[in-house]
Amino acid sequence: MSTGTPSITIPADLLPVDGRFGCGPSKVRPEAVAALAAEAPDYLGTSHRQAPVKFMVSRLRNAVAELFALPDGYEVILGNGGTTAFWDAAVFGLIDDKSQHLTFGEFSGKFAECATRAPFLQDPSVISAEPGTAPTARAEAGIDLYALTHNETSTGVAIPIVRPEGADDGALVAVDATSAAGGLKFDASQTDVYYFAPQKCLASDGGLWIAAVSPTAVERIERVASSGRWIPASLDLKIALDNSLKDQTYNTPALATIFLAVHQMEWINQNGGLGFSSGRSARSAEIVYGWAERSDYATPYVADPALRSNVVATIDLDDAIDATTVSKVLRANGVVDTESYRKLGRNQLRVALFPAIDAEDVDQLTRCIDHVVAELRTA
Ligand SMILES: *Cc1c(COP(=O)(O)O)cnc(C)c1O
């Protein structure tokens, strides 16, 4: 294994039109950036308490409701700090006493860690599975929030979203959908809190969290907020709820992030909704997993085809080929962010298959990888 990056030039006819395959921040559609530039003079740099921005927030809330076909009574709320801040907000304002977490990778593990460290909560029940597989929720008496992860971005495992049968009345199902929201189908009535940040399937930028919350979750937020528990204002879901209902955020949001997320969701909704966007990801998944299965040096990391994610593909390479070198050569040719999740520690490529990414480009990516590997083998 050499330390420098071999100088391999990928022929132009193999290159994708857009070389961004990262799992977040991920490809932003050029059409969205152009639309932002066109509207910038009347939008960027204007007050988030005035009509133009409030209207954009209202478009965002409506677009989420339409995209997920939210049942009556569900609300769309938002705040600053991305999904990581939402975990802290959930620990303060959503978990009553004890949560259950399914952990099967880095992200699902982080929320469990937040809940474990909170001094005012009981230690959570944690059901773990090896990376590359998935655990199943089990109803337990005394659990008031079940924490699921729709797509574990670190491993490329996606799970079906269903309420655990036999859960206590009023127990919430909270789903981290950061890399799934907009790319995977689900039934919103199986969830009470479907939360995410928009730098993945929503092809926007980071820094914002968005949550679709059921009437039961709204009740929970209101009850916990009035319970006397100390909650920092920037993490207070009741404050976020009250502001969101007025199409505002508690403090200044990134206006470009909101705009780009709206653009992406309206593009999806105008083209047929979640069926359209999840179909785009499914087509890309078919291409990349099919290629890996036919290849003599690449294998889908997730052994169970039913758990293989349509939005994040993880592909193991034969030990004779160094995946890091492959990623570096791709990067030198303008094809970026195919590195595997660092803490997983595998000889692996990880490729986003988010709806903004064209299946034709995923197909081209597989040709690029084949070319690089053939060159490395003959070097
Ligand atoms: C990216 C990601 C996060 C972290 O999101 P931030 O907005 O960076 O905090 C959390 N959970 C999942 C599943 C993710 O993919």
Side-chain angles (χ1 to χ4, degrees):
M1 224 173 357
S2 81
T3 44
T5 307
S7 70
I8 296 171
T9 303
I10 301 175
D13 64 327
L14 299 186
L15 290 172
V17 174
D18 197 302
R20 291 174 288 180
F21 295 98
C23 291
S26 62
K27 177 185 170 187
V28 178
R29 292 177 71 244
E31 294 86 343
V33 177
L36 175 60
E39 289 190 39
D42 298 322
Y43 176 72
L44 289 183
T46 71
S47 168
H48 64 297
R49 305 285 178 217
Q50 296 299 326
V53 175
K54 287 179 67 162
F55 183 56
M56 198 60 70
V57 172
S58 117
R59 275 168 69 178
L60 180 136
R61 297 178 62 237
N62 286 323
V64 171
E66 184 180 339
L67 179 60
F68 299 143
L70 293 182
D72 280 354
Y74 278 58
E75 296 289 352
V76 176
I77 66 175
L78 65 159
N80 285 320
T83 297
T84 303
F86 187 81
W87 288 328
D88 290 327
V91 162
F92 275 111
L94 216 45
I95 304 173
D96 227 338
D97 187 42
K98 184 168 174 169
S99 49
Q100 179 186 95
H101 299 255
L102 299 189
T103 69
F104 50 116
E106 187 65 19
F107 293 105
S108 46
K110 278 187 173 165
F111 185 26
E113 176 74 11
C114 293
T116 305
R117 286 169 160 258
F120 46 87
L121 298 178
Q122 287 193 47
D123 277 350
S125 153
V126 176
I127 304 178
S128 303
E130 286 304 306
T133 68
T136 316
R138 271 195 306 271
E140 266 180 74
I143 297 293
D144 60 75
L145 181 143
Y146 289 86
L148 315 183
T149 302
H150 201 172
N151 184 74
E152 179 44 83
T153 319
S154 65
T155 62
V157 168
I159 62 169
I161 298 302
V162 281
R163 286 183 189 279
E165 215 173 304
D168 287 357
D169 273 357
L172 303 178
V173 173
V175 182
D176 177 357
T178 306
S179 56
L184 297 182
K185 282 191 178 165
F186 75 108
D187 172 0
S189 72
Q190 296 292 316
T191 73
D192 294 294
V193 186
Y194 191 78
Y195 63 91
F196 49 96
Q199 70 274 23
K200 300 186 185 185
C201 289
L202 296 195
S204 177
D205 216 338
L208 199 70
W209 59 258
I210 300 167
V213 295
S214 72
T216 317
V218 169
E219 265 176 49
R220 176 73 65 86
I221 289 169
E222 287 174 341
R223 185 160 51 71
V224 176
S226 61
S227 70
R229 181 187 287 175
W230 172 71
I231 302 177
S234 69
L235 296 173
D236 188 327
L237 291 176
K238 172 73 170 123
I239 293 178
L241 173 68
D242 292 345
N243 276 280
S244 300
L245 297 183
K246 292 186 231 153
D247 296 324
Q248 295 186 26
T249 48
Y250 175 55
N251 64 317
T252 316
L255 303 191
T257 300
I258 291 172
F259 183 98
L260 294 170
V262 168
H263 195 279
Q264 173 78 354
M265 283 189 284
E266 291 184 350
W267 173 66
I268 294 172
N269 288 339
Q270 282 157 14
N271 281 285
L274 195 54
F276 163 75
S277 55
S278 63
R280 283 178 62 86
S281 292
R283 176 81 195 105
S284 293
E286 227 174 85
I287 290 170
V288 75
Y289 294 126
W291 157 79
E293 280 179 331
R294 287 190 304 275
S295 161
D296 69 348
Y297 66 88
T299 323
Y301 165 55
V302 179
D304 179 356
L307 293 178
R308 274 177 207 158
S309 168
N310 282 353
V311 281
V312 173
T314 44
I315 305 295
D316 279 347
L317 300 190
D318 188 287
D319 282 343
I321 300 146
D322 181 38
T324 307
T325 303
V326 175
S327 289
K328 279 185 183 161
V329 172
L330 291 170
R331 181 175 294 281
N333 283 272
V335 177
V336 304
D337 300 338
T338 61
E339 289 83 1
S340 80
Y341 193 78
R342 60 198 182 283
K343 286 193 192 156
L344 196 57
R346 293 189 69 90
N347 190 44
Q348 182 175 95
L349 302 175
R350 185 177 62 150
V351 178
L353 310 170
F354 297 148
I357 295 167
D358 293 319
E360 294 74 21
D361 279 351
V362 173
D363 201 24
Q364 288 293 83
L365 171 65
T366 65
R367 289 175 222 273
C368 290
I369 299 168
D370 280 342
H371 178 84
V372 172
V373 170
E375 293 285 308
L376 289 172
R377 278 172 159 171
T378 57

